[in-house]
């Protein structure tokens, strides 16, 4: 079904995974290596939604395999959330970047790109039917809530979505990686883990 973008033709995660490679809904497919679709058990109870694939994810074709993924993996493991209960994906499926010499510098997706790619996230949610969705960062929260929001105002409280799932909002793991001072990092790490503890209690 490569190129198939009629929801009616996409009946499984495997169909969607194949079809997303032909997506032309926004311009981001032009420069990225490939679309990076979500991964995890077909009926996971928790869906983590990041922003978009990073440099390493773009090359590997898998979500959260780089540094941010390691932060997420460690937190999930530390809190004792079984990986078999977790599906991991992104709000936007193609890597958006600006070339700078040999490096590719991450750029935030804009509102139009987030909205265009919600097509795929909606498919994933409809097929996986998670009980709980965790928005990692502002882009994921914007995608799931349909408006731009402030993480600090929303974190710590479950949000009931229209389809009956419960949404939790927290920081993106990359944010933790960017905090330069040790104390500030430890403080934010603790808040991140506290947010994920609420998730564990909700599943
Ligand atoms: N950051 C994201 O938001 N998603 C990934 O898959 C990797 C890094
Ligand atoms: Fe399609 Fe999303 Fe890629 Fe844009 S970023 S081309 S909407 S898959």
């Amino acid at each position: 079904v490569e190129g198939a973008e009629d929801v009616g033709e996409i009946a499984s995660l495997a169909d969607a995974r194949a079809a997303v490679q032909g997506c032309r809904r926004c311009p981001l497919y032009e420069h990225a290596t490939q679309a990076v679709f979500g991964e995890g058990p077909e009926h996971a109870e928790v869906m983590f939604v990041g922003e978009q694939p990073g440099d390493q994810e773009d090359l590997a074709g898998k979500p959260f395999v780089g540094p941010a993924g390691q932060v997420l993996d460690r937190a999930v493991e530390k809190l004792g959330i079984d990986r078999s209960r977790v599906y991991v994906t992104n709000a936007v499926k193609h890597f958006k970047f600006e070339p700078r010499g040999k490096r590719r510098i991450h750029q935030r997706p804009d509102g139009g790109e987030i909205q265009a790619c919600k097509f795929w996230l909606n498919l994933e949610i409809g097929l996986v039917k998670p009980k709980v969705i965790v928005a990692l960062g502002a882009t994921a929260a914007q995608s799931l809530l349909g408006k731009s929001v402030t993480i600090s105002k929303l974190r710590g409280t479950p949000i009931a979505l229209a389809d009956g799932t419960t949404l939790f909002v927290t920081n993106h793991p990359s944010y933790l990686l960017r905090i330069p001072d040790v104390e500030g990092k430890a403080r934010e790490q603790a808040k991140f883990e506290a947010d994920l503890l609420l998730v564990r209690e909700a599943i």
Side-chain angles (χ1 to χ4, degrees), residues 55-86:
D55 183 80
Q56 293 191 37
E57 290 80 14
D58 168 82
L59 297 172
K62 291 167 177 288
F64 282 104
V65 294
Q70 282 162 26
V71 172
L72 181 61
D73 283 353
R74 261 187 270 124
V76 163
E77 197 171 314
K78 182 172 173 185
L79 294 172
I81 301 172
D82 195 314
R83 285 308 295 245
S84 69
R85 302 173 83 172
V86 174

PDB file of all heavy atoms in Angstrom, residues 55-86:
ATOM      1  N   ASP A  55      18.392  13.250  14.134  1.00  0.00           N
ATOM      2  CA  ASP A  55      19.386  12.817  13.143  1.00  0.00           C
ATOM      3  C   ASP A  55      19.542  11.290  13.115  1.00  0.00           C
ATOM      4  O   ASP A  55      19.503  10.667  12.064  1.00  0.00           O
ATOM      5  CB  ASP A  55      20.720  13.498  13.474  1.00  0.00           C
ATOM      6  CG  ASP A  55      21.789  13.167  12.450  1.00  0.00           C
ATOM      7  OD1 ASP A  55      21.780  13.783  11.371  1.00  0.00           O
ATOM      8  OD2 ASP A  55      22.614  12.274  12.722  1.00  0.00           O
ATOM      9  N   GLN A  56      19.717  10.703  14.296  1.00  0.00           N
ATOM     10  CA  GLN A  56      19.959   9.248  14.344  1.00  0.00           C
ATOM     11  C   GLN A  56      18.720   8.448  13.975  1.00  0.00           C
ATOM     12  O   GLN A  56      18.811   7.401  13.331  1.00  0.00           O
ATOM     13  CB  GLN A  56      20.434   8.854  15.748  1.00  0.00           C
ATOM     14  CG  GLN A  56      21.796   9.431  16.073  1.00  0.00           C
ATOM     15  CD  GLN A  56      22.384   8.822  17.332  1.00  0.00           C
ATOM     16  OE1 GLN A  56      22.221   7.637  17.600  1.00  0.00           O
ATOM     17  NE2 GLN A  56      23.069   9.640  18.113  1.00  0.00           N
ATOM     18  N   GLU A  57      17.559   8.952  14.396  1.00  0.00           N
ATOM     19  CA  GLU A  57      16.307   8.259  14.077  1.00  0.00           C
ATOM     20  C   GLU A  57      16.039   8.297  12.574  1.00  0.00           C
ATOM     21  O   GLU A  57      15.554   7.328  11.984  1.00  0.00           O
ATOM     22  CB  GLU A  57      15.139   8.903  14.837  1.00  0.00           C
ATOM     23  CG  GLU A  57      15.165   8.642  16.346  1.00  0.00           C
ATOM     24  CD  GLU A  57      16.117   9.541  17.112  1.00  0.00           C
ATOM     25  OE1 GLU A  57      16.574  10.546  16.535  1.00  0.00           O
ATOM     26  OE2 GLU A  57      16.397   9.242  18.294  1.00  0.00           O
ATOM     27  N   ASP A  58      16.347   9.446  11.963  1.00  0.00           N
ATOM     28  CA  ASP A  58      16.159   9.606  10.513  1.00  0.00           C
ATOM     29  C   ASP A  58      16.975   8.563   9.751  1.00  0.00           C
ATOM     30  O   ASP A  58      16.523   8.006   8.750  1.00  0.00           O
ATOM     31  CB  ASP A  58      16.590  11.020  10.112  1.00  0.00           C
ATOM     32  CG  ASP A  58      16.700  11.198   8.606  1.00  0.00           C
ATOM     33  OD1 ASP A  58      15.659  11.432   7.969  1.00  0.00           O
ATOM     34  OD2 ASP A  58      17.821  11.087   8.078  1.00  0.00           O
ATOM     35  N   LEU A  59      18.181   8.286  10.228  1.00  0.00           N
ATOM     36  CA  LEU A  59      19.045   7.312   9.553  1.00  0.00           C
ATOM     37  C   LEU A  59      18.632   5.876   9.868  1.00  0.00           C
ATOM     38  O   LEU A  59      18.644   5.012   9.000  1.00  0.00           O
ATOM     39  CB  LEU A  59      20.506   7.540   9.964  1.00  0.00           C
ATOM     40  CG  LEU A  59      21.090   8.908   9.543  1.00  0.00           C
ATOM     41  CD1 LEU A  59      22.470   9.112  10.155  1.00  0.00           C
ATOM     42  CD2 LEU A  59      21.155   9.043   8.029  1.00  0.00           C
ATOM     43  N   ALA A  60      18.237   5.642  11.127  1.00  0.00           N
ATOM     44  CA  ALA A  60      17.899   4.277  11.557  1.00  0.00           C
ATOM     45  C   ALA A  60      16.484   3.868  11.146  1.00  0.00           C
ATOM     46  O   ALA A  60      16.183   2.671  11.039  1.00  0.00           O
ATOM     47  CB  ALA A  60      18.046   4.163  13.076  1.00  0.00           C
ATOM     48  N   GLY A  61      15.614   4.852  10.955  1.00  0.00           N
ATOM     49  CA  GLY A  61      14.220   4.531  10.637  1.00  0.00           C
ATOM     50  C   GLY A  61      13.424   4.087  11.842  1.00  0.00           C
ATOM     51  O   GLY A  61      12.337   3.515  11.701  1.00  0.00           O
ATOM     52  N   LYS A  62      13.946   4.362  13.032  1.00  0.00           N
ATOM     53  CA  LYS A  62      13.267   3.974  14.268  1.00  0.00           C
ATOM     54  C   LYS A  62      13.196   5.161  15.219  1.00  0.00           C
ATOM     55  O   LYS A  62      14.164   5.930  15.303  1.00  0.00           O
ATOM     56  CB  LYS A  62      14.038   2.851  14.985  1.00  0.00           C
ATOM     57  CG  LYS A  62      14.010   1.525  14.273  1.00  0.00           C
ATOM     58  CD  LYS A  62      15.060   0.599  14.905  1.00  0.00           C
ATOM     59  CE  LYS A  62      15.039  -0.781  14.283  1.00  0.00           C
ATOM     60  NZ  LYS A  62      13.867  -1.561  14.676  1.00  0.00           N
ATOM     61  N   PRO A  63      12.088   5.284  15.960  1.00  0.00           N
ATOM     62  CA  PRO A  63      11.937   6.418  16.868  1.00  0.00           C
ATOM     63  C   PRO A  63      12.783   6.260  18.139  1.00  0.00           C
ATOM     64  O   PRO A  63      12.990   5.143  18.614  1.00  0.00           O
ATOM     65  CB  PRO A  63      10.448   6.401  17.226  1.00  0.00           C
ATOM     66  CG  PRO A  63      10.051   4.963  17.102  1.00  0.00           C
ATOM     67  CD  PRO A  63      10.903   4.402  15.988  1.00  0.00           C
ATOM     68  N   PHE A  64      13.242   7.368  18.659  1.00  0.00           N
ATOM     69  CA  PHE A  64      13.925   7.422  19.965  1.00  0.00           C
ATOM     70  C   PHE A  64      15.053   6.408  20.126  1.00  0.00           C
ATOM     71  O   PHE A  64      15.108   5.681  21.117  1.00  0.00           O
ATOM     72  CB  PHE A  64      12.891   7.266  21.098  1.00  0.00           C
ATOM     73  CG  PHE A  64      12.129   8.552  21.362  1.00  0.00           C
ATOM     74  CD1 PHE A  64      10.831   8.718  20.927  1.00  0.00           C
ATOM     75  CD2 PHE A  64      12.737   9.605  22.035  1.00  0.00           C
ATOM     76  CE1 PHE A  64      10.140   9.902  21.153  1.00  0.00           C
ATOM     77  CE2 PHE A  64      12.058  10.797  22.273  1.00  0.00           C
ATOM     78  CZ  PHE A  64      10.754  10.950  21.836  1.00  0.00           C
ATOM     79  N   VAL A  65      15.946   6.343  19.159  1.00  0.00           N
ATOM     80  CA  VAL A  65      17.127   5.480  19.298  1.00  0.00           C
ATOM     81  C   VAL A  65      18.372   6.281  19.671  1.00  0.00           C
ATOM     82  O   VAL A  65      19.396   5.714  20.040  1.00  0.00           O
ATOM     83  CB  VAL A  65      17.411   4.661  18.011  1.00  0.00           C
ATOM     84  CG1 VAL A  65      16.307   3.651  17.748  1.00  0.00           C
ATOM     85  CG2 VAL A  65      17.619   5.565  16.799  1.00  0.00           C
ATOM     86  N   GLY A  66      18.304   7.611  19.602  1.00  0.00           N
ATOM     87  CA  GLY A  66      19.450   8.465  19.925  1.00  0.00           C
ATOM     88  C   GLY A  66      19.480   8.857  21.399  1.00  0.00           C
ATOM     89  O   GLY A  66      18.884   8.173  22.235  1.00  0.00           O
ATOM     90  N   PRO A  67      20.179   9.951  21.717  1.00  0.00           N
ATOM     91  CA  PRO A  67      20.352  10.384  23.108  1.00  0.00           C
ATOM     92  C   PRO A  67      19.041  10.605  23.858  1.00  0.00           C
ATOM     93  O   PRO A  67      18.905  10.198  25.017  1.00  0.00           O
ATOM     94  CB  PRO A  67      21.134  11.693  22.983  1.00  0.00           C
ATOM     95  CG  PRO A  67      21.769  11.668  21.636  1.00  0.00           C
ATOM     96  CD  PRO A  67      20.914  10.810  20.764  1.00  0.00           C
ATOM     97  N   ALA A  68      18.058  11.234  23.219  1.00  0.00           N
ATOM     98  CA  ALA A  68      16.776  11.467  23.897  1.00  0.00           C
ATOM     99  C   ALA A  68      16.095  10.135  24.213  1.00  0.00           C
ATOM    100  O   ALA A  68      15.459   9.977  25.263  1.00  0.00           O
ATOM    101  CB  ALA A  68      15.859  12.330  23.028  1.00  0.00           C
ATOM    102  N   GLY A  69      16.260   9.171  23.319  1.00  0.00           N
ATOM    103  CA  GLY A  69      15.687   7.850  23.532  1.00  0.00           C
ATOM    104  C   GLY A  69      16.298   7.154  24.731  1.00  0.00           C
ATOM    105  O   GLY A  69      15.613   6.431  25.461  1.00  0.00           O
ATOM    106  N   GLN A  70      17.595   7.397  24.938  1.00  0.00           N
ATOM    107  CA  GLN A  70      18.248   6.788  26.098  1.00  0.00           C
ATOM    108  C   GLN A  70      17.706   7.357  27.405  1.00  0.00           C
ATOM    109  O   GLN A  70      17.507   6.627  28.375  1.00  0.00           O
ATOM    110  CB  GLN A  70      19.761   6.966  25.999  1.00  0.00           C
ATOM    111  CG  GLN A  70      20.360   5.968  25.013  1.00  0.00           C
ATOM    112  CD  GLN A  70      21.750   6.350  24.544  1.00  0.00           C
ATOM    113  OE1 GLN A  70      22.481   7.053  25.233  1.00  0.00           O
ATOM    114  NE2 GLN A  70      22.110   5.911  23.343  1.00  0.00           N
ATOM    115  N   VAL A  71      17.438   8.664  27.409  1.00  0.00           N
ATOM    116  CA  VAL A  71      16.839   9.293  28.604  1.00  0.00           C
ATOM    117  C   VAL A  71      15.457   8.693  28.864  1.00  0.00           C
ATOM    118  O   VAL A  71      15.108   8.345  30.000  1.00  0.00           O
ATOM    119  CB  VAL A  71      16.729  10.829  28.417  1.00  0.00           C
ATOM    120  CG1 VAL A  71      15.946  11.458  29.564  1.00  0.00           C
ATOM    121  CG2 VAL A  71      18.108  11.454  28.309  1.00  0.00           C
ATOM    122  N   LEU A  72      14.679   8.554  27.804  1.00  0.00           N
ATOM    123  CA  LEU A  72      13.330   7.988  27.935  1.00  0.00           C
ATOM    124  C   LEU A  72      13.390   6.538  28.408  1.00  0.00           C
ATOM    125  O   LEU A  72      12.676   6.148  29.340  1.00  0.00           O
ATOM    126  CB  LEU A  72      12.607   8.094  26.589  1.00  0.00           C
ATOM    127  CG  LEU A  72      11.166   7.579  26.555  1.00  0.00           C
ATOM    128  CD1 LEU A  72      10.275   8.367  27.512  1.00  0.00           C
ATOM    129  CD2 LEU A  72      10.605   7.669  25.139  1.00  0.00           C
ATOM    130  N   ASP A  73      14.258   5.745  27.791  1.00  0.00           N
ATOM    131  CA  ASP A  73      14.402   4.326  28.164  1.00  0.00           C
ATOM    132  C   ASP A  73      14.759   4.168  29.640  1.00  0.00           C
ATOM    133  O   ASP A  73      14.197   3.329  30.338  1.00  0.00           O
ATOM    134  CB  ASP A  73      15.521   3.664  27.343  1.00  0.00           C
ATOM    135  CG  ASP A  73      15.070   3.344  25.931  1.00  0.00           C
ATOM    136  OD1 ASP A  73      13.881   3.512  25.633  1.00  0.00           O
ATOM    137  OD2 ASP A  73      15.928   2.942  25.120  1.00  0.00           O
ATOM    138  N   ARG A  74      15.710   4.984  30.082  1.00  0.00           N
ATOM    139  CA  ARG A  74      16.154   4.883  31.479  1.00  0.00           C
ATOM    140  C   ARG A  74      15.023   5.205  32.443  1.00  0.00           C
ATOM    141  O   ARG A  74      14.843   4.527  33.451  1.00  0.00           O
ATOM    142  CB  ARG A  74      17.354   5.805  31.732  1.00  0.00           C
ATOM    143  CG  ARG A  74      18.679   5.069  31.681  1.00  0.00           C
ATOM    144  CD  ARG A  74      19.839   5.955  32.100  1.00  0.00           C
ATOM    145  NE  ARG A  74      20.395   6.648  30.941  1.00  0.00           N
ATOM    146  CZ  ARG A  74      20.520   7.968  30.830  1.00  0.00           C
ATOM    147  NH1 ARG A  74      20.146   8.762  31.817  1.00  0.00           N
ATOM    148  NH2 ARG A  74      21.024   8.500  29.749  1.00  0.00           N
ATOM    149  N   ALA A  75      14.259   6.261  32.131  1.00  0.00           N
ATOM    150  CA  ALA A  75      13.155   6.658  33.012  1.00  0.00           C
ATOM    151  C   ALA A  75      12.078   5.577  33.053  1.00  0.00           C
ATOM    152  O   ALA A  75      11.572   5.227  34.125  1.00  0.00           O
ATOM    153  CB  ALA A  75      12.573   7.989  32.555  1.00  0.00           C
ATOM    154  N   VAL A  76      11.758   5.020  31.893  1.00  0.00           N
ATOM    155  CA  VAL A  76      10.728   3.982  31.812  1.00  0.00           C
ATOM    156  C   VAL A  76      11.159   2.753  32.605  1.00  0.00           C
ATOM    157  O   VAL A  76      10.390   2.167  33.369  1.00  0.00           O
ATOM    158  CB  VAL A  76      10.456   3.626  30.323  1.00  0.00           C
ATOM    159  CG1 VAL A  76       9.718   2.310  30.184  1.00  0.00           C
ATOM    160  CG2 VAL A  76       9.667   4.753  29.656  1.00  0.00           C
ATOM    161  N   GLU A  77      12.431   2.395  32.465  1.00  0.00           N
ATOM    162  CA  GLU A  77      12.960   1.232  33.168  1.00  0.00           C
ATOM    163  C   GLU A  77      13.001   1.463  34.677  1.00  0.00           C
ATOM    164  O   GLU A  77      12.582   0.625  35.465  1.00  0.00           O
ATOM    165  CB  GLU A  77      14.371   0.934  32.644  1.00  0.00           C
ATOM    166  CG  GLU A  77      14.870  -0.447  32.973  1.00  0.00           C
ATOM    167  CD  GLU A  77      16.169  -0.749  32.234  1.00  0.00           C
ATOM    168  OE1 GLU A  77      16.224  -0.452  31.020  1.00  0.00           O
ATOM    169  OE2 GLU A  77      17.107  -1.230  32.884  1.00  0.00           O
ATOM    170  N   LYS A  78      13.470   2.638  35.061  1.00  0.00           N
ATOM    171  CA  LYS A  78      13.599   2.982  36.480  1.00  0.00           C
ATOM    172  C   LYS A  78      12.242   2.943  37.187  1.00  0.00           C
ATOM    173  O   LYS A  78      12.149   2.544  38.346  1.00  0.00           O
ATOM    174  CB  LYS A  78      14.222   4.377  36.606  1.00  0.00           C
ATOM    175  CG  LYS A  78      14.451   4.834  38.030  1.00  0.00           C
ATOM    176  CD  LYS A  78      15.231   6.126  38.060  1.00  0.00           C
ATOM    177  CE  LYS A  78      15.302   6.679  39.482  1.00  0.00           C
ATOM    178  NZ  LYS A  78      15.956   8.001  39.513  1.00  0.00           N
ATOM    179  N   LEU A  79      11.205   3.375  36.477  1.00  0.00           N
ATOM    180  CA  LEU A  79       9.880   3.410  37.090  1.00  0.00           C
ATOM    181  C   LEU A  79       9.177   2.058  37.017  1.00  0.00           C
ATOM    182  O   LEU A  79       8.073   1.880  37.504  1.00  0.00           O
ATOM    183  CB  LEU A  79       9.023   4.476  36.422  1.00  0.00           C
ATOM    184  CG  LEU A  79       9.537   5.901  36.671  1.00  0.00           C
ATOM    185  CD1 LEU A  79       8.774   6.897  35.837  1.00  0.00           C
ATOM    186  CD2 LEU A  79       9.448   6.255  38.136  1.00  0.00           C
ATOM    187  N   GLY A  80       9.830   1.093  36.375  1.00  0.00           N
ATOM    188  CA  GLY A  80       9.263  -0.244  36.312  1.00  0.00           C
ATOM    189  C   GLY A  80       8.086  -0.358  35.363  1.00  0.00           C
ATOM    190  O   GLY A  80       7.204  -1.190  35.548  1.00  0.00           O
ATOM    191  N   ILE A  81       8.060   0.491  34.349  1.00  0.00           N
ATOM    192  CA  ILE A  81       7.017   0.367  33.330  1.00  0.00           C
ATOM    193  C   ILE A  81       7.521  -0.639  32.295  1.00  0.00           C
ATOM    194  O   ILE A  81       8.581  -0.452  31.702  1.00  0.00           O
ATOM    195  CB  ILE A  81       6.713   1.727  32.656  1.00  0.00           C
ATOM    196  CG1 ILE A  81       6.251   2.757  33.702  1.00  0.00           C
ATOM    197  CG2 ILE A  81       5.651   1.560  31.569  1.00  0.00           C
ATOM    198  CD1 ILE A  81       6.115   4.182  33.162  1.00  0.00           C
ATOM    199  N   ASP A  82       6.778  -1.725  32.123  1.00  0.00           N
ATOM    200  CA  ASP A  82       7.197  -2.796  31.216  1.00  0.00           C
ATOM    201  C   ASP A  82       7.168  -2.313  29.767  1.00  0.00           C
ATOM    202  O   ASP A  82       6.188  -1.729  29.319  1.00  0.00           O
ATOM    203  CB  ASP A  82       6.237  -3.979  31.396  1.00  0.00           C
ATOM    204  CG  ASP A  82       6.791  -5.254  30.781  1.00  0.00           C
ATOM    205  OD1 ASP A  82       7.276  -5.209  29.637  1.00  0.00           O
ATOM    206  OD2 ASP A  82       6.748  -6.281  31.465  1.00  0.00           O
ATOM    207  N   ARG A  83       8.255  -2.557  29.039  1.00  0.00           N
ATOM    208  CA  ARG A  83       8.326  -2.103  27.648  1.00  0.00           C
ATOM    209  C   ARG A  83       7.221  -2.698  26.775  1.00  0.00           C
ATOM    210  O   ARG A  83       6.836  -2.118  25.773  1.00  0.00           O
ATOM    211  CB  ARG A  83       9.699  -2.436  27.035  1.00  0.00           C
ATOM    212  CG  ARG A  83      10.834  -1.549  27.505  1.00  0.00           C
ATOM    213  CD  ARG A  83      10.524  -0.075  27.371  1.00  0.00           C
ATOM    214  NE  ARG A  83      10.362   0.365  26.003  1.00  0.00           N
ATOM    215  CZ  ARG A  83      11.177   1.221  25.393  1.00  0.00           C
ATOM    216  NH1 ARG A  83      12.204   1.725  26.012  1.00  0.00           N
ATOM    217  NH2 ARG A  83      10.936   1.577  24.153  1.00  0.00           N
ATOM    218  N   SER A  84       6.706  -3.858  27.156  1.00  0.00           N
ATOM    219  CA  SER A  84       5.637  -4.476  26.364  1.00  0.00           C
ATOM    220  C   SER A  84       4.335  -3.675  26.462  1.00  0.00           C
ATOM    221  O   SER A  84       3.396  -3.913  25.722  1.00  0.00           O
ATOM    222  CB  SER A  84       5.393  -5.909  26.830  1.00  0.00           C
ATOM    223  OG  SER A  84       4.824  -5.899  28.124  1.00  0.00           O
ATOM    224  N   ARG A  85       4.294  -2.718  27.378  1.00  0.00           N
ATOM    225  CA  ARG A  85       3.084  -1.893  27.533  1.00  0.00           C
ATOM    226  C   ARG A  85       3.225  -0.541  26.845  1.00  0.00           C
ATOM    227  O   ARG A  85       2.365   0.304  26.955  1.00  0.00           O
ATOM    228  CB  ARG A  85       2.800  -1.678  29.025  1.00  0.00           C
ATOM    229  CG  ARG A  85       2.611  -2.977  29.775  1.00  0.00           C
ATOM    230  CD  ARG A  85       2.497  -2.756  31.260  1.00  0.00           C
ATOM    231  NE  ARG A  85       1.134  -2.386  31.642  1.00  0.00           N
ATOM    232  CZ  ARG A  85       0.725  -2.287  32.906  1.00  0.00           C
ATOM    233  NH1 ARG A  85       1.563  -2.498  33.907  1.00  0.00           N
ATOM    234  NH2 ARG A  85      -0.514  -1.955  33.178  1.00  0.00           N
ATOM    235  N   VAL A  86       4.357  -0.348  26.153  1.00  0.00           N
ATOM    236  CA  VAL A  86       4.680   0.989  25.650  1.00  0.00           C
ATOM    237  C   VAL A  86       4.852   1.043  24.129  1.00  0.00           C
ATOM    238  O   VAL A  86       5.622   0.273  23.551  1.00  0.00           O
ATOM    239  CB  VAL A  86       5.983   1.477  26.326  1.00  0.00           C
ATOM    240  CG1 VAL A  86       6.443   2.793  25.736  1.00  0.00           C
ATOM    241  CG2 VAL A  86       5.790   1.607  27.837  1.00  0.00           C
TER     242      VAL A  86
END
